[in-house]
Amino acid sequence: ISTGGSSVGSGAAPCRFAHYFVICGIDTETGLEPDELVSRFRENFEQSPLKRTFKSKVLAHYPENVEWNPFDQDAVNMLCMPKGLSFRTQADQREPQFHSFIITKEDGSRTYGFVHTFYEEVTSPQICSAMQTLYQMHNADLDEALCLITPMPFMHACRRFLSQLHRAVTAATAPPLPLESYVHNILYEVPLPPPGRSLKFHGVYEPVVCQRPGLSELPLADFPLGDAFSLLGVENLVQLFTCTLLEMQILLYSQDYQRLMTVAEGITTLLFPFQWQHVYVPILPASLLHFLDAPVPYLMGLQSKEGTDRSKLELPQEANLCFVDIDNHCIELPEDFPQFPNKTEFIQELSEVLLSFGLSPKGGAPPRTGTPLEDDGRNGNLAGDELAVLELLQGNATLERLQALAKRTGVTVARVDALRAGVKGQGTEGQGGRTAAEEEELRNAKLSVQLREVFASRFTTMFADYEAFVIQSSPDLESWLTNREQMHNFDKASFLSDQPEPYLPFLSHFIETQMFATFVDNKIMSQWEEKETLLRVFDGRIDKARLYNVRAPSLRSSNYQRCTILKESAQAIEQRLMKIDHTAIHPHLLDMKIGQGKYEQGFFPKLQADVLNAGPTNNKWSHRTATTQRRKDRHRQQTEHLNLDNDLKEKYMQEARSLGKNLRQPKLSDLSPAVIAQTNWKFVEGLLKECRMKTKRMLVEKMGREAVELGHGEANITGLEENTLIASLCDLLERIWSHGLQVKQGKSALWSHLLHYQAREEKLEQQQAESPGNTHRRKSESAIGMPSLRVSVIQDMRHIQSMSEIKTEVGRARAWIRLSLEKKLLSQHLKQLLSRQALTKKLYKRYAFLRCEEEKEQFLFHLLSLNAVDYFCFTSVFTTIMIPYRAVIIPIKKLSNAMTTSNPWVCVSGELGDSGVMQIPKNVLEMTFDCQNLGKLTTVQLGHDNAGLLAKWLVDCVMVRNEITGHTYKFPCGRWLGKGVDDGSLERVLIGELVVPSGEEDSGRGCRTPPLQRSPSQTRRIKPTSAQIQEAIGEAVNNIIKHFHKPEKERGSLTILLCGESGLVGALEQFFHHGFKSARLFQKTVFVWDFVEKAVAYMESADQMGDLQETAEPLGMTCQSLCRYVNAINSTPRSIGKDGKFQLLVCLGARDRLLPQWLPLLVECPVILRMYEDSALLRDRSTVNALISVLQTLHDFPITLESSLVKGVDL
């Protein structure tokens, strides 16, 4: 919370305790005006006059104006009496009430208001007669409010001062001095206490004490946090705190304004060192209810009418809403959001603090705030006779005046003082002679600060090393501000990679928020200007923690560290109270005309404006500030003509600060349509800008990642981060769709719109059942074998509706967005949805974002840019759903044997599982099957049973399509399956690649994801050179190592890296093929596997002859292992051909780390001389040694093989 001192200009006044004293009530000139706006929202025209509300006015405020904090009449009036004026009769509860409010300025600085509302009898003749004629009422009281506007939230002090002022009006005898003296005193003669000091000033009857935290302590927050915890309970409060950190929409709901304020201020205080950057209106006046329509994060408080039910509340959007029902101690949370790190231990620590103060962590016990004012321990503890003395003294104006005079001259009248404070004579005081009320206040303050310390210490541990990741790349402020939008100023990826795994879901969301961005900006700007207060305190704490606790930065643990300074923080508060540092000037008689300010019991007098509009001229405090002011003025004149560019810099600074800041506070004024339109226009612009930033961020991250896969730079987006970005896109779309809704239906505005669209389209479909009209089909995705999928918003909705896993509308909308994004149809689908203009008009008000044509077009264009990259955000999230797949086998047509007599089968595998073996209808070669989500597809096993006469089969490829997402994979084969042809294989494992739909070539083709590997088909036509072969092996091994360096969730398929086109198997095959004498005249082709088999046969026979006896033991072992593996592969029941067997040997050898040991055996074997040319790589010692050392680098990694590869091999 920005302290008033730092947020306002220079000069004497920022040091003043209070800026304005305000009186609100009924304007006797205009009389009773029904409050139209309030009535509109509270439908209360039929109600009895006692329930009706009327317009209140600011009757007076002193001084007229303060230059550094201009008086905002509309706002103050609305917030002093958010409900307007109301009547009470003798029968009603007429106790005075207290509440506070806050006004946030454009620059984010805050001003506080403290309001004491009481009922005063109506005496004005015209109002009385109006009452009688309109409402047959005779005597009634109307409410009136006294208010102090202050730069800092000294709530307790203001509350006491106002209640004493009111007491002076209702007491049987006039107060010691005219009321003007007290008001003048607090406006002009009471300074703000300096940081780390306490201050005593004098009310009408008792002194009032307040204190301000020191520079290294947590900033001032005077609202009792304990009350917020008591109202909601620790668990709820921590959840609310998490929603606030993640910048959701937060709506507080209570009958009591002060409770709204206590919870709102409590939550924002706990954010230290961060600050809420969005709309902040803890008390939303009834006339501003349309503000709940704001499509931005907000924190607002809404007063509930007695007896109204939460279900009656029409909220425009609830997809991302955290609804806090304070009076019923419960909270409704948005659907899925990450939990705060170490939540359980955190709640435990907070509960212990509460218990040590005797409070229940469960909450739900309403604290005393809701009750009418307790009167500061006044007179409550005095025995009868002493009370009588006090009454006598208070009743005697002369004695009171004498005493005031005596005090000023330094004579103390101890006995009266003692009585007045309700202390001493009775022994009722707590320690140090404090009244019960003061004890209570001290206890509250100690509890608050300890709770705040527990929260602060979480951030100190979580962000202990944040500075290391702040990117400070600009030489000066000006260049930083100029390039700010383009620059990354925090290394998010490295920061996240440094955090404990359990923290990531929360942290990856949190570092995307505006409050975190502003925090980092403040850090960067602190190189050139004074540090922002919260940042200064936070950095100080981190430095201190470093001194005490030198931990190795590399050791990140998620162990919970408890707060260690609870005692100290509470002691600091108590010590300041024990020894009061400053005492303000006492109230004194002012230079007033005699006979004014006359006293009439029960009525607040009209104060004399002339004495209250000007400050004193002679007291030393104002004199001191006046000289500093003069000195500052002189200095300013000197600097002004020195550097005019300072103004320019200031302008820059302002622009910098406002960048990314949203509307903080609605204009609290009488709402003309123009004002509402302008506010909505700001929202529309803001939404468009947010959409631009989000899509850009999603593209940059994704492109960055793909550039890496193509071999540029370093990868830096994690799946986690991608998920965070997509979740925030879903949230943005929900907010856009709920802006300007006519009538809200259901929790998700987007899904509700889609359902309306679906209903209309299905009606049209029925009407046009005969003639299929405007369903334009996508160009066939691949010329071969697949009927194209129809592009249809409705079809995608039906897929989502059939998913039983998703239970809510918000969930369905999110799934639909993810699916559309994965299909690269998000922009097209939304355009289609919005093209039904009659529907959009029916659902949305004129000012809604979706009805601003130009912005809508730009918005769809930004979303279109997301088609440039591949997302698997649907497939990878909904991993357990059933998905229909379609598989087509494409034989090579030009050969007659496309028709085969054997029975083919297929098994499809993906990153999440496989389909199991499925028979394919002979001669159809196409099938659809339902199967639990397989994820990205990796391999297809294809085979047949060799039955019948035509059992040979030449297959070009297999195509498999996910019928929901439309992703199509091609598995190239290009070889025979059959006994006695090719390598005699009856089954092959094919490796898949994603097919790019042909319609997409134009849209951002240049920046597509690199193609996946494909099956090694007939690509061995061109003989590679020996250098190319060695390079290919290095590349293949490199890719496998890179694979293991990625986070586990993002590794993709290892099978592709082993068996794919430029995989390890293919590269080693080329190595073994180099110089291999394969083609023989009039004989069958020889395969590399033949060489391996011959080598093994030689070893086995040599072993039996005993030739290997003298070899070293390990070598003998290696020989045995090679023979064992080859025999196991040969004796598998599967009919994999010779190339398939070689592939299997390489995969198993890599998995079991045996390849480097087997190579020397094959090289040593005499068979090599018969089967290889002299120039073969396999016969070159140095090349083979190089190969062995390359393969050894794989030993550090746990290679696991897909079951489709190793099925049926018994090892």
Side-chain angles (χ1 to χ4, degrees):
I1 292 168
S2 52
T3 52
S6 61
S7 63
V8 285
S10 60
C15 310
R16 292 198 332 219
F17 181 86
H19 288 172
Y20 294 99
F21 176 75
V22 186
I23 304 162
C24 287
I26 182 134
D27 184 351
T28 45
E29 314 289 295
T30 54
L32 286 177
E33 293 177 79
D35 194 333
E36 304 292 334
L37 276 168
V38 174
S39 305
R40 185 187 322 156
F41 290 107
R42 297 192 170 251
E43 328 85 34
N44 66 356
F45 261 123
E46 314 72 61
Q47 296 176 339
S48 77
L50 279 176
K51 297 271 168 37
R52 298 272 294 275
T53 50
F54 301 91
K55 277 190 182 164
S56 65
K57 290 270 166 66
V58 171
L59 302 179
H61 67 275
Y62 313 101
E64 263 317 294
N65 207 24
V66 177
E67 63 176 292
W68 62 92
N69 182 7
F71 187 72
D72 185 341
Q73 183 134 347
D74 287 325
V76 172
N77 183 32
M78 270 188 182
L79 293 168
C80 272
M81 300 195 143
K83 279 189 295 208
L85 291 170
S86 56
F87 284 99
R88 288 282 187 276
T89 59
Q90 309 302 321
D92 296 298
Q93 177 211 348
R94 307 200 344 258
E95 292 291 345
Q97 296 286 338
F98 172 82
H99 78 268
S100 350
F101 62 80
I102 188 169
I103 296 177
T104 314
K105 298 214 214 37
E106 280 292 302
D107 64 355
S109 61
R110 294 171 176 182
T111 304
Y112 293 83
F114 299 99
V115 187
H116 180 99
T117 312
F118 58 95
Y119 285 88
E120 194 172 86
E121 194 181 331
V122 183
T123 51
S124 145
Q126 65 263 53
I127 292 177
C128 284
S129 63
M131 292 292 302
Q132 279 163 14
T133 46
L134 286 173
Y135 309 123
Q136 287 80 49
M137 280 170 58
H138 301 293
N139 54 346
D141 296 1
L142 254 181
D143 44 1
E144 191 167 320
L146 306 178
C147 167
L148 275 178
I149 306 270
T150 65
M152 295 181 76
F154 288 109
M155 182 199 71
H156 288 96
C158 294
R159 182 173 186 161
R160 293 186 161 199
F161 176 82
L162 291 171
S163 80
Q164 292 186 41
L165 208 54
H166 177 226
R167 213 167 98 209
V169 176
T170 50
T173 51
L177 294 167
L179 292 183
E180 282 85 347
S181 296
Y182 303 106
V183 174
H184 181 275
N185 180 254
I186 199 162
L187 283 178
Y188 300 108
E189 295 170 332
V190 177
L192 277 175
R197 298 298 172 86
S198 49
L199 165 80
K200 177 156 104 183
F201 64 92
H202 291 270
V204 185
Y205 300 114
E206 291 117 26
V208 177
V209 173
C210 60
Q211 55 165 302
R212 189 168 158 188
L215 290 173
S216 62
E217 294 173 57
L218 295 175
L220 174 70
D222 204 22
F223 291 85
L225 251 185
D227 288 3
F229 276 86
S230 303
L231 284 164
L232 291 175
V234 184
E235 170 87 30
N236 281 341
L237 204 116
V238 168
Q239 293 290 51
L240 167 58
F241 171 69
T242 312
C243 291
T244 314
L245 284 170
L246 299 176
E247 294 183 348
M248 297 179 172
Q249 291 176 321
I250 291 159
L251 184 60
L252 311 174
Y253 193 61
S254 168
Q255 277 188 39
D256 183 313
Y257 294 125
Q258 189 57 13
R259 283 185 176 185
L260 293 174
M261 209 45 202
T262 301
V263 174
E265 282 290 285
I267 278 294
T268 49
T269 306
L270 294 174
L271 297 175
F272 167 90
F274 307 102
Q275 296 174 68
W276 179 256
Q277 297 295 325
H278 301 277
V279 175
Y280 180 62
V281 192
I283 295 175
L284 187 66
S287 51
L288 286 189
L289 274 186
H290 70 277
F291 228 81
L292 293 171
D293 196 9
V296 291
Y298 58 67
L299 203 169
M300 300 205 245
L302 187 59
Q303 198 232 8
S304 56
K305 270 193 314 191
E306 288 177 51
T308 42
D309 187 13
R310 146 86 175 102
S311 56
K312 298 271 190 315
L313 202 58
E314 278 292 311
L315 298 174
Q317 49 202 28
E318 296 184 50
N320 219 31
L321 180 73
C322 172
F323 182 84
V324 185
D325 186 343
I326 300 177
D327 301 341
N328 294 316
H329 324 297
C330 63
I331 169 173
E332 292 170 27
L333 295 163
E335 272 182 28
D336 53 331
F337 64 96
Q339 297 299 315
F340 193 70
N342 296 110
K343 185 175 136 199
T344 325
E345 297 97 318
F346 183 40
I347 288 180
Q348 176 62 33
E349 186 176 7
L350 290 168
S351 305
E352 287 171 22
V353 173
L354 288 167
L355 286 166
S356 70
F357 281 82
L359 289 177
S360 151
K362 287 278 178 287
R368 283 164 312 287
T369 47
T371 56
L373 294 176
E374 67 257 17
D375 255 328
D376 304 350
R378 156 178 85 102
N379 309 349
N381 309 327
L382 296 181
D385 54 335
E386 307 212 342
L387 199 54
V389 176
L390 191 57
E391 296 276 273
L392 169 74
L393 285 171
Q394 283 181 343
N396 184 323
T398 324
L399 278 178
E400 287 280 15
R401 294 238 161 82
L402 264 175
Q403 197 200 340
L405 183 66
K407 263 200 175 143
R408 280 213 305 286
T409 52
V411 180
T412 56
V413 192
R415 170 114 171 102
V416 181
D417 276 1
L419 290 174
R420 167 150 306 129
V423 217
K424 295 291 192 292
Q426 289 294 307
T428 50
E429 74 276 7
Q431 307 112 16
R434 286 189 286 270
T435 62
E438 286 168 332
E439 269 305 318
E440 176 70 7
E441 204 173 300
L442 172 63
R443 199 170 141 274
N444 277 340
K446 284 159 87 171
L447 171 58
S448 290
V449 80
Q450 293 197 1
L451 290 167
R452 290 172 66 198
E453 288 292 358
V454 175
F455 279 82
S457 101
R458 295 307 314 121
F459 288 125
T460 325
T461 19
M462 256 190 281
F463 291 96
D465 300 313
Y466 85 96
E467 211 171 326
F469 303 97
V470 173
I471 303 169
Q472 310 221 2
S473 47
S474 302
D476 55 58
L477 184 58
E478 204 166 316
S479 64
W480 181 70
L481 293 174
T482 323
N483 305 311
R484 179 173 176 193
E485 286 235 279
Q486 285 72 48
M487 283 165 41
H488 277 291
N489 50 19
F490 190 73
D491 184 353
K492 294 176 178 169
S494 309
F495 172 74
L496 289 176
S497 67
D498 219 16
Q499 304 309 313
E501 183 77 32
Y503 291 10
L504 293 179
F506 171 79
L507 284 175
S508 64
H509 273 80
F510 178 65
I511 60 177
E512 296 294 336
T513 58
Q514 182 68 52
M515 72 175 86
F516 186 74
T518 306
F519 172 76
V520 173
D521 286 352
N522 285 339
K523 179 68 181 172
I524 292 176
M525 289 200 288
S526 70
Q527 312 172 75
W528 302 294
E529 52 172 59
E530 202 183 334
K531 257 192 196 175
E532 190 272 328
T533 331
L534 298 186
L535 180 67
R536 193 194 64 236
V537 178
F538 187 64
D539 281 354
R541 292 177 163 227
I542 288 180
D543 295 342
K544 195 168 161 191
R546 279 217 188 97
L547 283 176
Y548 288 131
N549 170 17
V550 190
R551 62 189 177 114
S554 56
L555 293 175
R556 287 284 163 278
S557 86
S558 54
N559 291 344
Y560 189 75
Q561 299 178 349
R562 295 175 78 94
C563 178
T564 51
I565 53 171
L566 293 182
K567 285 228 167 50
E568 298 161 45
S569 57
Q571 278 163 357
I573 290 183
E574 193 154 6
Q575 278 157 1
R576 279 194 288 269
L577 281 186
M578 307 287 276
K579 177 180 138 300
I580 300 295
D581 299 297
H582 302 280
T583 305
I585 298 170
H586 284 242
H588 49 86
L589 279 168
L590 299 170
D591 185 12
M592 278 165 53
K593 297 185 187 66
I594 301 299
Q596 284 192 309
K598 65 178 191 303
Y599 175 74
E600 189 183 343
Q601 187 185 357
F603 291 96
F604 200 85
K606 191 167 168 48
L607 301 178
Q608 237 177 287
D610 50 350
V611 291
L612 291 180
N613 274 332
T617 46
N618 57 353
N619 72 56
K620 62 180 191 296
W621 175 67
S622 66
H623 174 70
R624 190 179 72 225
T625 41
T627 38
T628 46
Q629 183 56 37
R630 277 201 297 277
R631 203 163 52 237
K632 278 185 178 157
D633 286 349
R634 259 205 317 279
H635 179 68
R636 197 174 69 227
Q637 284 159 3
Q638 287 163 3
T639 51
E640 254 169 22
H641 45 112
L642 279 179
N643 52 353
L644 281 168
D645 54 332
N646 244 8
D647 293 350
L648 204 69
K649 178 178 167 187
E650 197 42 50
K651 191 169 142 260
Y652 253 134
M653 293 306 306
Q654 280 315 317
E655 278 173 20
R657 289 199 173 66
S658 63
L659 189 76
K661 296 274 190 295
N662 306 324
L663 204 62
R664 293 283 190 66
Q665 175 94 13
K667 190 82 192 91
L668 298 175
S669 59
D670 278 340
L671 291 163
S672 59
V675 172
I676 294 186
Q678 192 200 353
T679 304
N680 277 303
W681 183 238
K682 272 191 167 168
F683 285 149
V684 168
E685 285 185 317
L687 287 169
L688 188 62
K689 180 176 170 190
E690 200 181 338
C691 181
R692 190 185 77 234
M693 304 289 277
K694 284 200 163 144
T695 47
K696 181 174 157 189
R697 174 112 165 75
M698 286 171 75
L699 278 173
V700 168
E701 290 292 11
K702 208 55 177 156
M703 296 293 191
R705 167 97 153 276
E706 303 193 333
V708 176
E709 289 180 350
L710 293 167
H712 319 292
E714 283 248 340
N716 64 350
I717 178 177
T718 61
L720 182 79
E721 211 167 344
E722 174 173 311
N723 239 338
T724 305
L725 293 174
I726 289 171
S728 83
L729 177 71
C730 292
D731 165 44
L732 173 66
L733 293 180
E734 279 295 359
R735 283 190 282 136
I736 287 177
W737 254 258
S738 55
H739 182 235
L741 262 182
Q742 296 276 16
V743 183
K744 179 175 160 280
Q745 296 163 321
K747 285 208 170 186
S748 161
L750 173 58
W751 191 249
S752 159
H753 192 169
L754 282 165
L755 290 172
H756 280 285
Y757 173 82
Q758 186 179 24
R760 290 198 172 195
E761 291 300 296
E762 285 176 346
K763 215 175 189 172
L764 286 172
E765 265 179 27
Q766 284 168 1
Q767 291 164 8
Q768 304 171 350
E770 320 79 61
S771 57
N774 52 7
T775 56
H776 55 278
R777 292 165 177 265
R778 208 190 248 192
K779 284 189 294 214
S780 158
E781 276 180 24
S782 48
I784 33 178
M786 283 272 182
S788 66
L789 271 181
R790 191 178 122 198
V791 174
S792 141
V793 177
I794 305 280
Q795 194 47 53
D796 285 351
M797 284 184 69
R798 288 179 189 146
H799 286 313
I800 304 293
Q801 284 160 330
S802 66
M803 288 165 58
S804 58
E805 290 81 355
I806 305 177
K807 309 277 189 265
T808 62
E809 295 182 352
V810 175
R812 286 189 194 106
R814 287 185 179 170
W816 184 86
I817 294 168
R818 283 174 174 277
L819 178 57
S820 308
L821 197 56
E822 182 162 328
K823 294 177 84 159
K824 304 193 179 192
L825 290 173
L826 184 58
S827 181
Q828 190 180 332
H829 274 353
L830 293 177
K831 189 174 185 174
Q832 181 65 28
L833 176 66
L834 296 171
S835 65
R836 301 281 180 268
Q837 283 180 335
L839 177 61
T840 314
K841 272 190 180 142
K842 185 182 119 183
L843 296 177
Y844 288 91
K845 297 180 181 131
R846 179 66 204 93
Y847 65 74
F849 182 93
L850 296 176
R851 287 186 62 188
C852 301
E853 283 310 308
E854 200 177 313
E855 281 67 31
K856 186 179 76 182
E857 284 307 309
Q858 287 186 44
F859 156 71
L860 291 169
F861 177 73
H862 290 315
L863 290 182
L864 187 64
S865 65
L866 295 175
N867 289 6
V869 294
D870 291 334
Y871 283 102
F872 287 89
C873 51
F874 179 83
T875 313
S876 60
V877 169
F878 300 104
T879 52
T880 57
I881 59 172
M882 293 302 283
I883 289 187
Y885 290 93
R886 175 186 298 267
V888 181
I889 294 166
I890 297 163
I892 290 179
K893 289 283 188 297
K894 56 181 185 277
L895 294 154
S896 55
N897 66 353
M899 302 295 288
T900 172
T901 54
S902 59
N903 303 299
W905 57 265
V906 67
C907 171
V908 182
S909 304
E911 291 180 358
L912 300 174
D914 68 61
S915 63
V917 169
M918 299 174 293
Q919 298 297 325
I920 300 181
K922 206 189 311 190
N923 307 337
V924 182
L925 302 186
E926 176 175 341
M927 65 184 296
T928 49
F929 61 94
D930 284 349
C931 173
Q932 187 170 321
N933 186 351
L934 298 172
K936 291 184 193 169
L937 301 188
T938 51
T939 62
V940 159
Q941 278 170 271
L942 176 67
H944 64 81
D945 61 359
N946 206 30
L949 296 169
L950 292 171
K952 299 186 187 68
W953 196 26
L954 183 57
V955 176
D956 179 48
C957 66
V958 177
M959 307 286 291
V960 182
R961 181 170 68 201
N962 176 326
E963 296 288 274
I964 292 184
T965 65
H967 283 313
T968 308
Y969 293 83
K970 183 178 183 182
F971 297 85
C973 175
R975 299 189 58 176
W976 288 90
L977 283 91
K979 282 269 189 268
V981 287
D982 202 330
D983 66 348
S985 179
L986 289 185
E987 63 171 271
R988 293 190 184 280
V989 176
L990 310 177
I991 309 294
E993 57 175 300
L994 191 61
V995 178
V996 188
S998 53
E1000 217 181 277
E1001 302 299 328
D1002 42 5
S1003 68
R1005 184 73 186 87
C1007 45
R1008 246 193 84 323
T1009 316
L1012 290 169
Q1013 322 283 347
R1014 53 188 76 127
S1015 313
S1017 48
Q1018 323 101 305
T1019 41
R1020 299 201 202 92
R1021 301 286 155 77
I1022 308 153
K1023 278 239 165 77
T1025 65
S1026 58
Q1028 286 170 332
I1029 292 174
Q1030 285 168 280
E1031 196 178 321
I1033 291 176
E1035 192 56 36
V1037 169
N1038 228 344
N1039 285 337
I1040 294 173
I1041 293 172
K1042 272 191 203 159
H1043 165 93
F1044 283 103
H1045 280 293
K1046 286 185 194 168
E1048 204 163 325
K1049 292 182 183 128
E1050 293 145 43
R1051 288 181 180 168
S1053 165
L1054 186 58
T1055 309
I1056 289 173
L1057 300 180
L1058 289 169
C1059 313
E1061 179 153 24
S1062 47
L1064 182 65
V1065 173
L1068 283 174
E1069 255 179 18
Q1070 288 184 338
F1071 189 92
F1072 275 85
H1073 268 280
H1074 187 263
F1076 186 57
K1077 305 177 182 171
S1078 59
R1080 308 285 170 86
L1081 222 50
F1082 311 120
Q1083 281 179 2
K1084 282 194 309 201
T1085 316
V1086 184
F1087 290 86
V1088 172
W1089 185 250
D1090 294 321
F1091 163 63
V1092 174
E1093 281 186 324
K1094 288 203 164 77
V1096 166
Y1098 167 78
M1099 287 177 215
E1100 288 180 337
S1101 63
D1103 189 22
Q1104 283 158 1
M1105 307 280 288
D1107 288 3
L1108 288 174
Q1109 290 308 312
E1110 63 274 14
T1111 54
E1113 189 50 42
L1115 192 59
M1117 294 295 290
T1118 311
C1119 254
Q1120 284 172 4
S1121 77
L1122 177 59
C1123 299
R1124 197 172 104 242
Y1125 276 69
V1126 171
N1127 292 329
I1129 291 171
N1130 267 333
S1131 55
T1132 169
R1134 290 167 59 188
S1135 313
I1136 46 177
K1138 293 181 177 176
D1139 283 348
K1141 289 176 179 177
F1142 181 76
Q1143 169 172 299
L1144 198 45
L1145 184 69
V1146 172
C1147 289
L1148 290 168
R1151 180 190 75 183
D1152 301 338
R1153 303 177 181 157
L1154 294 168
L1155 284 179
Q1157 300 171 24
W1158 290 344
L1159 270 171
L1161 291 177
L1162 294 171
V1163 173
E1164 297 293 326
C1165 182
V1167 181
I1168 196 168
L1169 305 172
R1170 278 209 312 280
M1171 302 187 73
Y1172 279 87
E1173 319 272 352
D1174 293 349
S1175 61
L1177 285 173
L1178 203 55
R1179 290 180 64 178
D1180 175 6
R1181 265 305 155 82
S1182 60
T1183 313
V1184 172
N1185 289 340
L1187 173 61
I1188 289 173
S1189 63
V1190 167
L1191 291 176
Q1192 276 167 340
T1193 56
L1194 292 178
H1195 287 189
D1196 302 338
F1197 306 104
I1199 291 179
T1200 51
L1201 301 179
E1202 229 179 85
S1203 60
S1204 60
L1205 292 175
V1206 294
K1207 228 187 290 185
V1209 178
D1210 184 22
L1211 273 170

